[in-house]
């Protein structure tokens, strides 16, 4: 591509006509950057354009430059970075113009600068901001801090885009169809680039915020969410308003944002996010393109082309053509015209079909591009969902593994617990069975006892019936009782009882046989009783056997019960031992974990201490390095400020020693040590810098000692902070040397304090009264002189001169009266201060006690009196025609400054609610107004007196005018040079004045000492 063609296209694209930039010119500029691989040609042409003089030209430059940054070569950004400051200056310049394109150009230039800075900081982002999700992930380098910062930068970028959007819409009159006018299209055309940028920035910020919410707490990102919601509402409103404009409907398909913003607190909401896609139709439909060639011209060209082809085929002359069959076939010229018209008609139909085909192809391409964009968006969304699903699956897999481990541990503990419970339950069941069995045996034994009682009753009844055998019955009852007792004790005893009963029974039988003769009548009864007794004996034997069996069973059951109780107790003891073992292991684990956590806490606390000490050491080292910095030599300070800094540093060192002692006794008290370290570094650094600044205005010997002591103090502070960073030396760290150095610095500062006026303290009160009286007398004398000069001027001057002198002297008289009122108000306020503050002391003692304040009053009074005298002298010279008006204006400003000093010195100790203080402030405002009146009258008199010669250019030639112009330029340069020199001289004079004022305050005496 030719360089000249690119230059012409740039000049055509960026012109002063208020119409939109034509697309073909902008496309040529873009192709030119790709051809030369940079933007050198573009900037070489633009630098010659008057962008600062024409707002429309600057607006169209911003539009073209925005297109180049988006679609041009990648080196456009590199070639444009050198002009970033010029764009900023131009933005500030256009910002002062509130109407027309001024504010639009200012905001657009800020946007372009922000875009350049964003792409220079993030080179992975192309100019058109088109990136895939993978490229977006790579841009953050998988670091949450990078994603956080990138989101903030995108917010700033999008904010600039929205500001331009809103400013353009607010500059248009929406009540009329501005989008169809050339001026409206000129303003709306750059918004196409803004819409393209905003769609990508909105999509990326949504994805980055979801990414950040998956890594950081929600409270940390509250500011991000608030800022996103604000930009979401603005962007949604602007997209809606843009889509309703007729101008954008033909050029771009603007997406619509969802009704509600995404919910970043719900991770699954990312799947509901749809990336906004902006669709741009074919460029041939753009109104910026060139109009089609006139149909008449195209028909003429087609006619000539057809005639040439016809002549090539049939010959150019029908008369000389050997194949001319007009006479033979009867074809005349009308037939040929009809043939030609028919062919033209076919060609026109073919052209129309071709145009329709092209239009359909363009529409198809637009639809395919839109569908492609939608599919790409869906593909990106599916990829994001896939990545999110993979991340969730990995997270769930990790949680599942952890839950499996916990489940295995729980199952082991559950199995052991279940086994113990099962054993305990089995033992309980066995114990219940034994208890039931034992109850059954006890019940059987009770039944046997009841049966035995019944038998005993039967035997007793039989013996009652037979009176003779009562004794035997009693013996049987006794025998039965002994048997029942022996049945409960031993089986052997029962056997003996049974033998005894048998013998007794045999004896009873013998006795019964003996008595049978005498008791014949009762023989039958006795036989029956014997039979019954025998049955009872048999029953007794069976009962004895059953009781013996029950005893054996009970003994066996008791043995088994004892065995079961022993087993149960043994299992309980083993379970108890296992429980104690588990508790011991759990306690050991807790203790080891607590020890590890405590050790980790100690390490982290020491790391905090180490980091704080390291930063404090850097701060002190920075202060030491600044002591040697040549730029610091011009800094000066006072001894009073140095003493205040030294005192604060000393108090901080004491608190630091206490905090250090507490930390050594308890490492958990590191929270009180860290703030002390930060404050210690700050105050020590401030003391070093203030000491160095004080040494710059001090005499040589004290200055050298002060500077050396500051360096030593900084070295000791660095050494102390270094010991705090080592675990082995932290206990032996001592800042007493720093305290000693601060004390020596404080002693040198006391030596450098100003000694004040060389006046005895008891004479200060008299001196104040004298100076105030002298100031009042000087003002009265000045007022009298001004009245005298005014009388002389009225007697000797006339016309304009008299008018000027009267005005100037009248304003000077008003100034003297205002100063006189101010001095009287100052004396009243001073008297009130002395009366309220001296207490039982005398005024002289009060002045002596507050010597510095008294010296300020004396100095201010002298300045007011001197200023009044100088003002009168300057006015006298002006009236006589020997002085200049500038001297009078300078003197009036000087006396206003002197009165301000007097006011400040007077009210420094006054009560803020004092009535005299209000009078003093009102008098001060009167002095300022009188000063302004003097300056105004002086300027007016100067403009009246000076002669204003008007140059006559009618008789001058072009060469003479050019010569006069060059002379004027030379004179302007000379005056500017003189002005610069005078300003430098004024600065040196003020510097010398400050030095002399310091000597007057006591520096000279310090040097003599």
């Amino acid at each position: 591509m030719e360089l000249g063609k690119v230059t012409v296209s740039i000049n055509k694209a960026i012109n002063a006509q208020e119409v939109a930039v034509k697309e073909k010119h902008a496309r040529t500029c873009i192709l030119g950057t790709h051809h030369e691989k940079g933007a050198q040609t573009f900037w070489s042409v633009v630098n010659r354009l008057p962008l600062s003089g024409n707002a429309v030209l600057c607006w169209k430059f911003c539009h073209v430059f925005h297109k180049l940054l988006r679609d041009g070569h990648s080196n456009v950004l590199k070639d444009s970075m050198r002009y970033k400051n010029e764009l900023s200056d131009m933005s500030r310049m256009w910002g002062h113009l509130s109407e027309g394109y001024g504010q639009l150009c200012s905001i657009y230039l800020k946007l372009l600068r922000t875009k350049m800075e964003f792409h220079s900081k993030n080179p992975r982002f192309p100019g058109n901001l088109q990136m895939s999700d993978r490229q977006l992930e790579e841009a953050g380098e998988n670091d949450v801090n990078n994603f956080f910062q990138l989101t903030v930068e995108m917010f700033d970028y999008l904010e600039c885009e929205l500001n331009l959007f809103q400013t353009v819409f607010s500059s248009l009159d929406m009540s009329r169809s501005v989008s169809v006018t050339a001026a409206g299209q000129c303003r709306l055309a750059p918004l196409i680039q803004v819409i393209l940028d905003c769609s990508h920035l909105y999509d990326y910020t949504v994805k980055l915020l979801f990414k950040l919410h998956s890594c950081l707490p929600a409270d940390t990102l509250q500011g991000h969410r608030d800022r996103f919601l604000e930009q979401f509402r603005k962007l949604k409103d602007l997209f809606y308003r843009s889509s309703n404009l007729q101008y954008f409907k033909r050029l771009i398909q603007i997406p619509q944002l969802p009704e509600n913003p995404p919910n970043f607190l719900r991770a699954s909401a990312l799947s509901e996010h749809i990336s906004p896609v902006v669709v741009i139709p074919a460029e041939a439909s753009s109104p910026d393109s060139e109009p089609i060639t006139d149909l008449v011209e195209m028909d003429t060209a087609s006619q000539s082309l057809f005639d040439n082809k016809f002549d090539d085929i049939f010959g150019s002359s029908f008369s000389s053509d050997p194949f001319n069959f007009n006479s033979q076939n009867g074809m005349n010229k009308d037939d040929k015209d009809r043939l030609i018209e028919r062919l033209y008609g076919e060609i026109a139909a073919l052209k129309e079909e071709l145009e329709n085909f092209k239009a359909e192809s363009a529409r198809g391409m637009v639809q395919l591009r839109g569908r492609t964009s939608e599919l790409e968006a869906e593909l990106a969304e599916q990829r994001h969902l896939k990545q999110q699903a993979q991340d969730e699956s990995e997270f769930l897999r990790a949680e599942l593994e952890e839950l499996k481990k916990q489940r295995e541990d729980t199952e082991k503990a559950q199995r052991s617990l279940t086994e113990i419970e099962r054993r305990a339950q089995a033992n309980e069941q066995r114990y219940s069975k034994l208890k039931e069995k034992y109850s059954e045996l006890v019940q059987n034994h009770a039944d046997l006892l009841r049966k035995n009682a019944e038998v005993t009753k039967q035997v007793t009844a039989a013996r009652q019936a037979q009176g003779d055998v009562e004794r035997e019955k009693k013996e049987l009852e006794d025998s039965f009782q002994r048997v029942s007792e022996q049945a409960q004790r031993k089986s052997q005893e029962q056997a003996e009882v049974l033998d005894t009963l048998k013998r007794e029974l045999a004896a009873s039988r013998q006795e019964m046989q003996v008595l049978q003769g005498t008791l014949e009548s009762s023989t039958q009864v006795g036989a029956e009783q014997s039979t019954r007794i025998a049955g009872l004996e048999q029953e007794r034997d069976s009962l004895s056997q059953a009781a013996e069996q029950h005893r054996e069973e009970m003994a066996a059951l008791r043995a088994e019960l004892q065995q079961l109780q022993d087993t149960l107790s043994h299992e309980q003891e083993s379970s108890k031992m296992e429980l104690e073992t588990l508790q011991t292991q759990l306690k050991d684990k807790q203790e080891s974990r607590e020890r590890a956590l405590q050790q980790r806490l100690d390490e982290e606390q020491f790391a905090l201490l180490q980091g704080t000490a390291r930063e404090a050491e850097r701060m002190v080292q920075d202060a030491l390095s600044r002591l040697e910095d040549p730029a610091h030599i011009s800094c000066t300070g006072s001894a009073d400020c140095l003493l205040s800094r030294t005192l604060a540093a000393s108090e901080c060192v004491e608190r630091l020693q206490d905090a250090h002692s507490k930390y050594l006794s308890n490492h958990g008290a590191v929270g009180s040590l860290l703030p002390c370290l930060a404050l210690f570094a700050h105050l020590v650094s401030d003391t070093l810098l203030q000491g160095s600044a004080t040494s710059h205005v001090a005499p040589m010997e004290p200055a050298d000692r002060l500077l050396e002591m500051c360096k030593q103090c900084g070295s000791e502070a660095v050494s102390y902070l270094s010991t705090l960073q080592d675990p082995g030396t932290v206990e032996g760290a001592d800042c007493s040397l720093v305290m000693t150095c601060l004390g020596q610095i404080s002693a040198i500062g006391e030596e450098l304090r100003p000694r004040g006026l060389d006046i005895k303290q008891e004479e200060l009160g008299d001196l104040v009264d004298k100076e105030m009286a002298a100031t009042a007398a000087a003002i009265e004398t000045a007022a009298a002189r001004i009245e005298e000069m005014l009388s002389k001027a009225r007697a000797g001057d006339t016309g304009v001169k008299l008018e000027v002198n009267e005005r100037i002297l009248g304003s000077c008289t008003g100034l003297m009266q205002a100063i006189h009122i101010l001095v009287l108000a100052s004396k009243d306020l001073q008297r009130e201060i002395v009366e309220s503050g001296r207490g039982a002391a005398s005024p002289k003692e009060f002045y002596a006690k507050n010597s510095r304040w008294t010296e300020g009053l004396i100095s201010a009074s002298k300045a007011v009196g001197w200023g009044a005298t100088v003002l009168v002298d300057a006015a006298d010279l002006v009236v006589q025609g020997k002085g200049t008006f500038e001297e009078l204006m300078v003197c009036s400003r000087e006396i206003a400054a002197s009165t301000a000093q007097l006011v400040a010195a007077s009210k420094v100790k006054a009560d803020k609610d004092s009535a005299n203080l209000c009078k003093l402030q009102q008098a001060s405002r009167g002095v300022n107004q009188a000063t302004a009146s003097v300056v105004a009258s002086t300027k007016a008199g100067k403009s009246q007196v000076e002669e204003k010669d008007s140059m006559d250019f009618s008789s001058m030639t072009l060469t003479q005018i050019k010569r006069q112009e060059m002379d004027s330029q030379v004179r302007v340069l000379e005056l500017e040079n003189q002005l610069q020199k005078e300003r430098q001289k004024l600065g040196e004079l003020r510097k010398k004045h400050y030095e002399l004022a310091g000597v007057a305050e006591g520096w000279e005496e310090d040097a003599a000492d």
Side-chain angles (χ1 to χ4, degrees):
M1 183 176 290
E2 297 181 359
L3 182 61
K5 185 177 180 182
V6 176
T7 303
V8 171
S9 297
I10 294 173
N11 288 321
K12 287 184 177 181
I14 306 175
N15 53 44
Q17 297 179 1
E18 194 174 1
V19 294
V21 177
K22 291 187 177 180
E23 187 64 28
K24 72 170 188 176
H25 299 322
R27 189 186 304 110
T28 304
C29 298
I30 295 171
L31 294 177
T33 60
H34 288 281
H35 180 73
E36 66 173 344
K37 294 181 174 58
Q40 294 87 352
T41 304
F42 174 77
W43 283 108
S44 64
V45 176
V46 167
N47 286 333
R48 295 194 296 268
L49 298 176
L51 300 179
S52 300
N54 192 312
V56 177
L57 196 68
C58 183
W59 176 255
K60 299 178 76 172
F61 155 74
C62 294
H63 184 190
V64 175
F65 184 44
H66 197 173
K67 280 179 169 288
L68 294 183
L69 289 176
R70 279 187 52 82
D71 303 325
H73 195 268
S74 57
N75 291 333
V76 172
L77 178 62
K78 298 179 181 178
D79 295 338
S80 304
M81 288 302 294
R82 70 185 69 177
Y83 302 100
K84 185 172 66 174
N85 294 331
E86 297 181 6
L87 296 180
S88 300
D89 296 339
M90 197 183 307
S91 174
R92 286 193 295 270
M93 187 272 294
W94 283 117
H96 297 296
L97 186 61
S98 59
E99 297 180 356
Y101 282 87
Q103 287 294 326
L104 296 178
C105 293
S106 176
I107 295 175
Y108 207 165
L109 289 168
K110 289 180 183 178
L111 169 60
L112 296 176
R113 178 184 173 90
T114 304
K115 183 177 181 66
M116 294 167 64
E117 292 176 350
F118 176 81
H119 289 290
S120 62
K121 290 180 182 178
N122 305 281
R124 294 177 183 268
F125 284 84
N128 55 9
L129 295 174
Q130 293 181 359
M131 295 181 66
S132 62
D133 291 343
R134 181 179 180 182
Q135 291 174 336
L136 185 62
E137 291 283 343
E138 293 175 352
E141 298 178 356
N142 201 19
D143 188 357
V144 67
N145 296 321
N146 293 341
F147 285 121
F148 191 93
Q149 182 63 29
L150 183 59
T151 307
V152 173
E153 293 175 0
M154 284 191 177
F155 279 146
D156 296 338
Y157 191 177
L158 185 57
E159 188 69 27
C160 293
E161 301 273 6
L162 295 177
N163 287 339
L164 179 60
F165 223 134
Q166 290 178 331
T167 307
V168 171
F169 273 108
S170 61
S171 67
L172 296 175
D173 185 7
M174 291 302 177
S175 62
R176 297 184 294 111
S177 300
V178 294
S179 63
V180 298
T181 62
Q185 293 178 2
C186 182
R187 299 191 182 194
L188 293 174
L191 295 186
I192 296 176
Q193 312 300 318
V194 176
I195 293 172
L196 293 171
D197 289 343
C198 289
S199 62
H200 292 297
L201 291 175
Y202 167 77
D203 184 30
Y204 298 155
T205 50
V206 171
K207 295 177 180 178
L208 289 177
L209 283 176
F210 274 110
K211 182 74 174 178
L212 290 175
H213 277 79
S214 64
C215 302
L216 296 177
D219 295 340
T220 306
L221 300 171
Q222 182 63 42
H224 279 48
R225 291 197 299 274
D226 295 340
R227 193 171 183 185
F228 173 80
L229 291 177
E230 181 182 0
Q231 293 185 352
F232 174 80
R233 288 191 291 268
K234 291 181 181 178
L235 186 60
K236 182 180 178 181
D237 179 63
L238 293 173
F239 275 8
Y240 176 75
R241 294 172 63 184
S242 301
S243 61
N244 294 329
L245 292 179
Q246 187 66 29
Y247 177 71
F248 289 122
K249 289 182 179 179
R250 297 178 298 161
L251 299 178
I252 188 171
Q253 183 179 347
I254 301 175
Q256 295 298 326
L257 298 184
E259 184 67 24
N260 297 318
N263 185 7
F264 300 108
L265 301 179
R266 184 167 58 89
S268 60
L270 179 59
S271 60
E272 302 173 2
H273 170 67
I274 300 176
S275 300
V277 179
V278 180
V279 180
I280 299 179
E283 295 178 353
S285 63
S286 174
D288 294 340
S289 58
E290 282 289 294
I292 304 174
T293 308
D294 191 18
L295 293 177
V296 178
E297 296 178 356
M298 186 177 69
D299 292 342
T300 305
S302 301
Q303 175 70 31
S304 61
L305 179 62
F306 181 81
D307 291 341
N308 292 334
K309 290 183 178 181
F310 189 86
D311 293 340
D312 292 338
I313 296 173
F314 300 100
S316 60
S317 177
F318 292 100
S319 59
S320 59
D321 188 1
F323 299 96
N324 187 356
F325 300 102
N326 287 341
S327 59
Q328 299 176 8
N329 298 331
M331 182 179 292
N332 54 15
K333 187 175 182 179
D334 295 334
D335 295 335
K336 292 181 180 179
D337 291 339
R338 283 194 297 272
L339 176 62
I340 292 171
E341 290 177 357
R342 183 173 59 81
L343 292 175
Y344 274 131
E346 292 178 357
I347 292 173
L350 292 174
K351 286 181 180 180
E352 185 176 358
E353 291 179 1
L354 180 61
E355 291 297 330
N356 293 333
F357 179 73
K358 287 181 178 180
E360 291 178 359
S361 300
R363 287 194 295 271
M365 288 179 65
V366 171
Q367 294 176 357
L368 291 176
R369 286 178 183 175
R371 183 57 180 168
T372 303
S373 301
E374 293 177 359
L375 292 176
E376 289 178 353
E378 292 178 1
L379 179 60
E381 183 180 358
Q382 294 298 327
R383 287 177 179 174
H384 179 73
L385 292 176
K386 179 182 177 182
Q387 184 65 30
Q388 185 178 4
Q390 290 178 354
D391 295 341
E392 290 181 357
S393 63
E394 291 178 358
F395 178 73
L396 293 175
R397 191 178 294 109
E399 286 189 351
L400 181 60
E401 294 294 333
E402 186 176 357
L403 290 175
K404 284 182 178 178
K405 292 180 181 179
Q406 293 179 357
R407 181 180 178 183
E408 291 176 357
D409 297 338
T410 306
E411 288 178 353
K412 290 181 181 178
Q414 188 70 26
R415 282 196 299 269
S416 62
L417 181 61
T418 305
E419 184 66 23
I420 294 173
E421 291 179 352
R422 187 181 61 79
R423 292 178 182 177
Q425 188 175 4
N427 293 331
E428 289 290 337
Q429 292 177 357
R430 293 174 66 183
Y431 178 76
S432 300
K433 290 179 180 180
L434 289 174
K435 187 176 180 180
E436 291 175 359
K437 193 69 175 176
Y438 179 75
S439 300
E440 184 179 357
L441 291 175
V442 171
Q443 184 67 30
N444 293 333
H445 183 67
D447 294 339
L448 290 174
L449 289 177
R450 283 193 297 272
K451 289 180 180 180
N452 193 8
E454 291 177 356
V455 171
T456 304
K457 289 180 180 180
Q458 291 177 2
V459 171
T460 303
R463 285 183 180 181
Q464 288 179 354
Q466 190 178 2
D468 296 337
V469 293
E470 289 179 359
R471 183 173 54 82
E472 289 83 356
K473 188 188 295 184
K474 293 181 180 178
E475 291 178 356
L476 288 174
E477 289 177 357
D478 294 336
S479 300
F480 282 131
Q481 289 179 357
R482 287 191 297 270
V483 168
S484 65
E485 292 176 356
Q486 290 176 356
Q488 294 178 359
R489 299 173 183 172
K490 297 180 182 179
S491 61
Q492 293 82 2
E493 293 179 356
Q494 289 181 357
E496 293 178 357
V497 171
L498 289 174
D499 293 338
T500 304
L501 289 175
K502 287 179 180 181
R503 287 191 298 271
E504 290 179 354
L505 182 61
S508 298
R509 286 178 180 178
Q510 292 177 0
E511 290 179 356
M512 287 176 67
Q513 291 177 0
V514 174
L515 294 174
Q516 189 176 6
T518 58
L519 297 173
E520 293 178 357
S521 59
S522 59
T523 303
Q524 186 177 359
V525 176
E528 292 177 357
Q529 291 179 351
S530 299
T531 305
R532 290 183 63 184
I533 290 171
L536 292 174
E537 288 179 353
Q538 291 178 359
E539 188 176 357
R540 185 187 63 185
D541 294 338
S542 64
L543 290 175
S544 299
Q545 293 177 359
E548 183 66 23
Q549 291 178 359
H550 285 120
R551 288 192 187 95
E552 291 178 356
E553 290 179 359
M554 287 178 65
L557 290 174
R558 287 176 180 173
E560 187 177 1
L561 178 62
Q562 184 66 32
Q563 184 179 0
L564 290 174
Q565 288 178 351
D566 295 337
T567 305
L568 180 61
S569 62
H570 178 69
E571 290 180 355
Q572 289 179 350
E573 290 178 356
S574 62
S575 301
K576 186 176 181 181
M577 292 177 62
E578 290 179 1
L579 182 60
E580 291 177 353
T581 304
L582 292 175
Q583 290 178 350
T584 305
Q585 293 177 357
L586 179 61
K587 186 176 180 180
D588 294 339
K589 289 182 179 180
Q590 289 179 349
E591 291 178 354
S592 61
R593 186 176 181 183
E594 288 178 357
R595 287 195 297 271
L597 291 175
Q598 185 64 33
Q599 183 178 1
R600 183 177 178 184
L601 179 61
D602 294 339
E603 292 176 355
E604 291 180 354
Q605 288 178 349
F606 184 75
L608 287 175
L609 175 61
Q610 192 176 21
T612 306
R614 188 181 300 111
E615 293 299 326
E617 182 181 356
R618 291 178 183 173
M619 189 182 298
V620 177
Q621 287 179 349
D622 179 65
L624 287 174
S625 63
R626 289 179 63 183
L627 296 181
E628 305 295 338
D629 191 0
H632 185 64
I633 296 176
S634 60
C635 298
T636 59
S638 64
D640 293 333
C641 185
L642 174 61
L643 290 175
S644 65
R645 294 291 87 195
T646 307
L647 179 60
S650 301
E651 293 176 354
C652 180
V653 170
E654 294 177 358
R655 292 198 301 271
L656 181 61
Q657 288 178 343
D658 295 338
H660 187 209
S661 302
K662 293 180 182 178
Y663 173 74
L664 293 179
S665 60
N666 181 16
H667 290 296
V670 70
S672 60
L673 180 59
L674 297 180
C676 292
L677 276 177
L679 182 61
F680 168 76
H682 170 70
L683 292 177
V684 169
S685 302
D686 196 7
T687 302
L688 297 181
L689 295 176
Q690 189 64 34
S692 176
T694 306
S695 66
H696 294 158
V697 294
M700 182 174 297
E701 184 179 354
D704 293 340
R705 287 191 291 113
L706 179 59
L707 187 60
E708 185 64 28
M709 192 52 60
C710 290
K711 292 180 180 179
Q712 184 179 354
C713 180
S715 301
E716 294 296 340
V718 170
S719 177
Y720 170 70
L721 294 173
S722 300
T723 56
L724 290 179
Q725 301 176 26
D726 190 0
T729 60
V730 66
E731 295 183 359
D734 187 13
C735 58
S736 58
L737 296 177
V738 180
M739 192 72 177
T740 303
C741 294
L742 290 174
Q744 294 179 3
I745 292 174
S746 179
I748 297 174
E750 288 290 345
E751 295 177 4
L752 296 178
R753 291 187 66 181
R755 299 294 187 270
L757 296 174
D758 191 10
I759 302 172
K760 295 182 179 180
Q761 297 293 336
E762 57 271 11
E763 298 177 0
L764 284 175
D766 297 335
L767 186 59
V768 172
D769 296 335
K770 291 178 182 179
E771 288 298 334
M772 294 298 290
T775 301
I779 293 171
E780 291 176 358
T781 303
R785 287 185 60 189
I786 291 174
E787 290 293 337
E788 183 181 354
M789 286 188 289
L790 183 58
S791 300
K792 291 181 180 180
R794 289 172 179 172
D797 297 332
T798 59
V800 176
K801 186 175 182 181
L802 176 60
E803 182 182 353
V804 171
N805 292 338
E806 284 182 347
R807 188 184 298 118
I808 292 174
L809 293 176
S811 60
C812 290
T813 303
L815 177 59
M816 289 303 158
Q817 292 175 356
I819 294 172
H820 182 67
I821 296 173
L822 177 69
V823 172
L824 293 178
S826 177
K827 291 174 68 177
D828 294 339
L829 180 60
Q830 175 188 345
R831 190 179 303 107
E832 179 184 346
I833 293 170
V834 173
E835 291 298 330
S836 61
R838 67 186 179 89
S842 63
K844 291 184 179 181
E845 293 176 351
F846 178 79
Y847 284 126
K849 182 180 179 181
N850 301 276
S851 58
R852 299 301 296 274
W853 175 68
T854 306
E855 292 169 5
L857 280 177
I858 294 171
S859 176
S861 300
K862 286 183 178 181
V864 172
W866 175 81
T869 304
V870 174
L871 176 65
V872 173
D873 294 338
D876 191 9
L877 293 175
V878 170
V879 171
Q880 294 177 9
K882 299 178 181 180
T884 60
F885 292 97
E886 287 77 6
E887 293 178 359
L888 187 59
M889 287 188 287
V890 172
C891 290
S892 61
R893 291 193 181 103
E894 186 66 27
I895 197 170
S898 300
T899 53
Q901 182 182 356
L902 179 60
V903 172
S906 298
K907 74 176 186 179
V908 69
K909 285 186 174 295
D911 187 7
K912 62 179 182 178
D913 298 328
S914 175
N916 290 324
L917 178 60
C918 295
K919 293 180 181 179
L920 180 63
Q921 292 175 346
Q922 186 175 1
S924 176
R925 288 192 289 269
V927 171
N928 292 332
Q929 293 175 1
T931 304
S933 177
V934 172
V935 174
S937 61
T938 304
K939 290 182 178 179
K942 181 181 178 182
S943 61
Q944 272 187 302
V945 172
E946 289 180 348
E947 295 181 357
K948 297 182 179 179
D949 298 333
S950 59
M951 298 184 65
D952 184 11
F953 300 104
S954 60
S955 61
M956 298 179 66
T957 62
L958 178 62
T959 305
Q960 291 175 346
I961 292 176
K962 187 63 176 178
R963 180 64 181 178
Q964 291 291 337
E965 181 183 355
M966 293 176 64
D967 293 340
S968 298
Q969 291 178 357
V970 171
R971 181 59 180 167
V972 168
L973 293 176
E974 290 176 352
L975 291 176
E976 288 178 351
N977 189 17
Q978 291 179 5
L979 178 61
Q980 184 68 21
K981 290 180 180 179
E982 288 298 328
R983 284 178 176 169
Q984 293 178 357
K985 182 178 178 182
L986 178 60
E988 295 295 331
L989 289 173
R990 287 178 176 172
K991 182 177 180 182
K992 191 64 177 177
H993 177 266
Y994 296 151
E995 292 177 358
L996 293 176
V999 172
E1001 290 294 329
W1003 290 111
E1004 188 174 359
E1005 294 180 3
D1006 296 339
D1009 294 340

